Amino acid sequence: MRYMTAGESHGPALTAIVDGVPAGLKISEDQINSDLARRQSGYGRGGRQAIERDRVSVTAGVRFGRTIGSPVALTVANRDWENWTDRMAAFGDVPSDLVREVCPRPGHADLVGALKTNTDDCRNVLERASARETAARVAAAGIAREFLAELGVEVFSYVASIGGASLDEDDPMLAAPDYKPLDIELSDVRCPSEEATEAMKAEIDAAREAGESLGGTFRVVATGLLPGVGGYATAGERLTSRIGAALFSIPAIKGVEFGLGFEAARRPGSQVHDPITVDRKAGFTRTRNNAGGLEGGMTTGLPLIVTAAMKPIPTLMTPLSTVNLDTLEPEEASRERSDVCAVPACAVVAEAEVAFALADAYLEKFGHDNMTDIKAAVKSYRQRLRTI
Ligand code: EPS
């Protein structure tokens, strides 16, 4: 299962096409819309989210609520488009009063993108490099999430830190973090602790006051996984690299850790690897989950736990210095309307990327054509594992 998106931040709409979707999968528009709303939420978002009310429109591949085995096309309209029709028109003459973006923001794709594409207007780059595109990813991932849910796999996320404020957790690798979804979603920063939520909001307030922006870390957790999904034999099969690449494809992601992550490099082997036990009913399992649910590039059957780090958003209301592309003189970077912090939203996008990578690996193992055959293959595999 793969997706591709198109669309500019202030163009008419974002579009996604998902292919490799099996027939007979139930799709819920409401579920996708609720994920889109989660991605829009979060303390620290800027004025744009007051304009947008992201809703999906499914225009291909689904009939009477079920997939029919053809590519699924999804669209999310940009409500802000009506304010940009002249500046972002697909055709017609360049408006005489058009203000080009010529002061590239350090940390954004503006400068390198403009050099690469030979444009004198960074808007041609920033419109697509904008994280607005991730709305299309979340919509598209609705297909992957429904597929996984049918097979008993759930994907959720929570924010672990914003700036200097962190969630104080017991060792999350001892077992799966089992926070209540409601506690996460009711928090303004999608963090399951009220105390940490308040500390994170205070960091965001201080950053806004100072014209700053903030990054942070979050975890994505997938439960209900079968062991042996992914592969060890070739580079392309390894789920570690596939999920890693998927997460690094999200704008602003600077680090990804599986399970213990970098901490594993500081401990001796006996305190890193997870002892194996066997249970007559459940089959093989582990006494802890330092591996974060992946061994040898395959799922172990324990929850997948992956932590990602997001850098602060490059648009600063107290801008850094840059160079004007027209005059080559030093100037302040442009001050686009922006978010102070988008870590809670980014965690929802990361759920989408993890869901795609897992759905793709499940389809590889259990077949592609239709849900009946896939479920039969999953059932037979489950039975074989229990009879070991
Ligand atoms: C973004 C800048 C802001 C964000 C946007 C990403 O948009 P605008 O320039 O229109 O105020 O709100 O994110 C979204 C629109 C979104 O839906 O996530 C940027 O420069 O990357």
Side-chain angles (χ1 to χ4, degrees):
M1 189 184 289
R2 292 171 309 169
Y3 75 87
M4 171 139 202
T5 73
E8 274 68 50
S9 179
H10 301 96
L14 302 164
T15 305
I17 294 180
V18 187
D19 78 347
V21 183
L25 176 64
K26 218 166 139 216
I27 300 298
S28 152
E29 265 182 313
D30 288 348
Q31 192 53 54
I32 296 175
N33 285 332
S34 119
D35 287 336
L36 285 172
R38 288 195 305 126
R39 193 203 69 92
Q40 281 202 272
S41 70
Y43 199 76
R45 293 287 247 163
R48 177 77 184 271
Q49 298 313 317
I51 298 172
E52 303 298 342
R53 298 274 178 283
D54 291 344
R55 296 191 68 79
V56 73
S57 168
V58 177
T59 53
V62 179
R63 190 165 183 234
F64 308 129
R66 284 190 189 269
T67 56
I68 54 173
S70 42
V72 176
L74 311 99
T75 303
V76 177
N78 290 323
R79 285 177 40 149
D80 209 9
W81 156 244
E82 65 183 40
N83 304 315
W84 290 77
T85 48
D86 49 348
R87 286 171 288 172
M88 288 298 293
F91 298 106
D93 294 333
V94 179
S96 54
D97 58 350
L98 182 78
V99 178
R100 287 180 294 113
E101 291 294 339
V102 291
C103 294
R105 291 160 295 174
H108 212 285
D110 301 353
L111 174 62
V112 192
L115 295 175
K116 176 183 169 70
T117 60
N118 190 28
T119 180
D120 63 357
D121 186 353
C122 295
R123 180 152 301 284
N124 285 353
V125 175
L126 68 89
E127 280 289 328
R128 181 68 185 156
S130 160
R132 175 76 190 145
E133 181 262 351
T134 61
R137 300 192 195 197
V138 170
I143 312 295
R145 297 182 82 118
E146 298 275 5
F147 170 75
L148 292 171
E150 286 252 335
L151 303 180
V153 178
E154 298 290 341
V155 182
F156 69 94
S157 68
Y158 62 95
V159 170
S161 71
I162 287 179
S166 299
L167 170 66
D168 189 13
E169 285 183 290
D170 297 336
D171 186 350
M173 309 307 157
L174 264 182
D178 64 347
Y179 303 118
K180 293 190 186 66
L182 208 60
D183 287 343
I184 297 170
E185 302 311 335
L186 286 181
S187 157
D188 286 337
V189 285
R190 307 197 59 257
C191 171
S193 143
E194 266 178 48
E195 202 185 332
T197 295
E198 290 314 311
M200 290 175 191
K201 284 170 70 175
E203 290 265 321
I204 294 168
D205 287 340
R208 184 183 286 111
E209 197 70 22
E212 277 288 359
S213 61
L214 279 183
T217 61
F218 54 82
R219 288 196 222 290
V220 181
V221 181
T223 58
L225 294 164
L226 285 162
V229 177
Y232 61 89
T234 58
E237 287 170 85
R238 287 182 171 262
L239 212 41
T240 326
S241 76
R242 289 155 76 171
I243 294 173
L247 289 171
F248 276 119
S249 79
I250 303 171
I253 292 300
K254 289 290 149 190
V256 173
E257 294 184 277
F258 290 92
L260 270 191
F262 277 30
E263 174 61 21
R266 291 184 275 267
R267 296 189 188 179
S270 63
Q271 288 173 39
V272 169
H273 303 297
D274 306 321
I276 299 170
T277 60
V278 70
D279 178 297
R280 279 205 167 276
K281 243 173 106 196
F284 293 110
T285 185
R286 318 288 164 128
T287 56
R288 62 186 177 209
N289 188 19
N290 282 344
L294 291 178
E295 266 179 0
M298 297 164 288
T299 52
T300 59
L302 268 70
L304 173 80
I305 307 174
V306 52
T307 308
M310 182 190 193
K311 73 178 180 182
I313 283 169
T315 311
L316 300 176
M317 292 307 141
T318 311
L320 291 172
S321 57
T322 186
V323 174
N324 182 307
L325 298 185
D326 283 345
T327 63
L328 298 184
E329 293 296 328
E331 211 169 304
E332 283 188 345
S334 66
R335 232 180 279 220
E336 289 251 331
R337 170 187 64 190
S338 185
D339 308 320
V340 176
C341 173
V343 177
C346 191
V348 177
V349 179
E351 289 176 23
E353 286 296 340
V354 168
F356 263 115
L358 287 174
D360 192 47
Y362 262 71
L363 286 162
E364 199 175 82
K365 180 154 177 56
F366 297 110
H368 289 86
D369 292 340
N370 69 80
M371 289 310 291
T372 308
D373 293 353
I374 292 168
K375 280 183 181 169
V378 168
K379 190 171 171 196
S380 130
Y381 184 61
R382 273 188 200 284
Q383 276 164 356
R384 178 167 75 72
L385 294 186
R386 289 222 178 98
T387 56
I388 289 172

